[in-house]
Amino acid sequence: MDLSWIWGQAQTSFHHHPETITLKSKQGSSLSLSELCRSITPPCRLNPLLFNGHLQTCWSVVKSEAVPVFYKRKVFEAEDPAYFGSFAVDFVVPPYKENDATLPSRTTYFEDDNFELIASLDEKPMLVTLHGLSGGSHELYLRSVLHPLFEEGWEACVVNSRGCAESRLTSGVLYNGRSTWDIRQIVKWLSKTFPNRPLFAVGFSLGANILANYLGEEGSECMLKAAVVCSNPWNCEAGSLALQRTWLGLEVYSKAMGTSMRLLFEKHFDQISKNPRIDAAVVAKVRGIKYLHEFDRELQAPTWGYPTEGAYYRDVSSTDSLLAVRIPLFAIHAEDDPVALKEALPLQEFKCNPFAVLCTTSLGGHLSWFETGGGRWFAKPVTQFFMKMASEIDLTRIEIHSNSHPPSFNPMRRKVQMHA
């Protein structure tokens, strides 16, 4: 019997194609993507008092960390009329003393004159970040990655999901697991505004699902150099059913997420109620929900055109999108994650795509991985992956050893053409 968990020692495993892509260093040497991911992943030694996924995840709710990241916010108008409305992007900046009580802590708006001067020809690496369900740029888990990279000279921004992080909702729908249009617009804007900066991206939880979908949709045309996804739910239907099977899954995690989304609905009710698909009967049902799957059934599915929450989950899941990813992708997941459960991991899909590597740990919970000293273990391999990619790897020279996809299968064939 393995009792290493008593000492906080998690088992680490890697899942990937037998021959992942070959990366060339700027000095001319070669290594595979799987070798790189293994080399930058330290032993996973966690707090032995937080010895399972429930304790790790619950600790993330009560733990307060001093990770000071300051932002300047810019509100963008969607360019695609199908997804009209605005969304807020928070750019990481040096510390300042101003305060805006209408925004999260350490966040103020750009002054128009200053934002017009933001363009640059510098070659600093830049990270685009997507947060989890109903979160935002203020979340501690993403700041634990942004802070060390900014200290190393990186630039970074967080794309807030519409209506989150004290941003105004200006359309009649919220975001969903396939809301890839805002990150697509921002990546294009960043590429134009900072033409010499290599762009990278990281996604957390639902943001990881959105990012994986975006990577699959872009395929070989993706403007990002590499990406990381943490605690991705992947198969949303399998994850939802698994949550409903246990008391803790239903009454703790699903209930907490359902409550947070219902509160988001109430906060933006005046705007959401303008949606012609939202009538008094729908409003009454949404206000009576307790769990996340009920929220998705009563609001998300109908407003986006799905007949059931199951149809919605199947269509927004990023499992198939993984097969279409054509940039280096590193995924990190705890096998005891009580929110994005192990059974939803696309292990076979990782073995089919040479562009992707999955690292699983036996302990860690959901976006947690707390160490004895209070830090979060996952921030180490995430930041090391990005720094290695940006400083040592020649991302213009990638070698593929095999064609891993049957030409008759289109992993990005969707059942719903989304229109807001």
Side-chain angles (χ1 to χ4, degrees):
M1 179 182 295
D2 182 11
L3 299 178
S4 58
W5 60 270
I6 295 176
W7 317 110
Q9 178 67 56
Q11 301 299 313
T12 303
S13 303
F14 291 85
H15 312 265
H16 51 79
H17 189 275
E19 293 184 312
T20 56
I21 57 173
T22 295
L23 304 171
K24 299 287 187 179
S25 75
K26 294 177 181 178
Q27 287 72 37
S29 59
S30 301
L31 79 164
S32 68
L33 177 62
S34 59
E35 290 173 332
L36 183 146
C37 293
R38 289 172 184 269
S39 71
I40 54 86
T41 302
C44 185
R45 299 188 179 96
L46 306 180
N47 189 331
L49 298 179
L50 306 174
F51 52 81
N52 62 37
H54 299 299
L55 292 173
Q56 282 276 343
T57 303
C58 291
W59 189 246
S60 68
V61 177
V62 300
K63 172 68 174 176
S64 178
E65 301 170 77
V67 187
V69 175
F70 291 76
Y71 300 102
K72 287 289 185 178
R73 174 169 294 187
K74 176 64 178 178
V75 176
F76 289 80
E77 292 296 328
E79 296 175 348
D80 189 336
Y83 312 115
F84 73 94
S86 62
F87 59 97
V89 180
D90 293 340
F91 292 82
V92 180
V93 298
Y96 56 82
K97 295 183 179 180
E98 298 85 38
N99 180 57
D100 188 330
T102 67
L103 296 178
S105 178
R106 296 182 295 275
T107 305
T108 60
Y109 287 103
F110 266 112
E111 295 180 3
D112 290 340
D113 292 344
N114 291 337
F115 190 76
E116 291 176 358
L117 302 175
I118 197 173
S120 173
L121 295 177
D122 68 53
E123 299 179 355
K124 295 180 180 179
M126 186 163 191
L127 184 66
V128 182
T129 309
L130 298 182
H131 59 78
L133 183 75
S134 71
S137 60
H138 57 282
E139 298 288 357
L140 283 168
Y141 56 77
L142 63 81
R143 283 191 277 141
S144 67
V145 169
L146 295 183
H147 184 266
L149 287 177
F150 189 69
E151 291 290 301
E152 289 292 329
W154 282 56
E155 299 292 339
C157 68
V158 181
V159 182
N160 294 296
S161 293
R162 298 191 186 190
C164 291
E166 304 300 333
S167 63
R168 290 182 59 241
L169 186 69
T170 56
S171 59
V173 290
L174 294 169
Y175 57 95
N176 64 51
R178 271 184 61 197
S179 296
T180 58
W181 34 89
D182 292 342
I183 184 176
R184 178 172 293 106
Q185 179 176 328
I186 284 302
V187 169
K188 290 180 179 178
W189 181 87
L190 291 171
S191 297
K192 181 179 179 180
T193 306
F194 310 105
N196 297 329
R197 288 183 182 177
L199 301 178
F200 302 85
V202 61
F204 299 93
S205 193
L206 185 67
N209 191 76
I210 294 172
L211 177 57
N213 276 327
Y214 166 76
L215 298 178
E217 291 170 2
E218 294 298 293
S220 59
E221 301 301 316
C222 187
M223 295 180 178
L224 300 173
K225 299 299 184 183
V228 174
V229 290
C230 295
S231 302
N232 187 354
W234 293 107
N235 186 329
C236 298
E237 183 175 38
S240 176
L241 293 174
L243 280 176
Q244 296 175 53
R245 278 202 304 267
T246 66
W247 185 89
L248 281 173
L250 186 65
E251 296 297 333
V252 177
Y253 302 112
S254 181
K255 191 173 184 178
M257 292 185 287
T259 298
S260 69
M261 292 306 294
R262 190 182 70 247
L263 292 175
L264 197 65
F265 166 81
E266 292 291 357
K267 184 172 186 176
H268 301 289
F269 175 74
D270 289 345
Q271 192 65 42
I272 296 175
S273 62
K274 297 177 183 178
N275 189 314
R277 293 174 175 172
I278 306 299
D279 56 21
V282 171
V283 171
K285 290 178 180 178
V286 173
R287 286 177 168 165
I289 69 102
K290 291 176 61 178
Y291 310 113
L292 181 61
H293 66 275
E294 293 177 334
F295 181 86
D296 291 333
R297 175 189 304 158
E298 304 301 348
L299 186 73
Q300 291 289 69
T303 55
W304 292 103
Y306 294 100
T308 66
E309 78 267 25
Y312 164 67
Y313 291 146
R314 290 189 292 274
D315 204 36
V316 304
S317 293
S318 57
T319 298
D320 286 351
S321 298
L322 173 60
L323 296 171
V325 173
R326 291 297 180 272
I327 65 169
L329 174 65
F330 187 30
I332 302 175
H333 205 101
E335 294 178 354
D336 66 351
D337 189 323
V339 176
L341 288 95
K342 177 181 177 181
E343 66 190 75
L345 288 174
L347 299 179
Q348 293 300 313
E349 285 75 9
F350 271 99
K351 294 178 180 179
C352 289
N353 189 344
F355 285 85
V357 172
L358 168 65
C359 171
T360 59
T361 59
S362 57
L363 305 171
H366 188 69
L367 296 177
S368 300
W369 286 283
F370 286 103
E371 299 172 306
T372 301
R376 302 194 187 211
W377 171 85
F378 77 87
K380 296 176 181 178
V382 172
T383 55
Q384 286 300 313
F385 176 82
F386 283 131
M387 287 193 285
K388 186 94 170 180
M389 281 288 182
S391 63
E392 299 183 26
I393 301 301
D394 182 354
L395 294 172
T396 65
R397 302 171 63 195
I398 293 178
E399 295 181 5
I400 307 172
H401 297 283
S402 63
N403 180 8
S404 61
H405 304 289
S408 61
F409 179 67
N410 177 7
M412 301 313 297
R413 186 181 297 117
R414 298 297 194 180
K415 296 180 178 64
V416 165
Q417 299 301 312
M418 289 190 177
H419 295 284

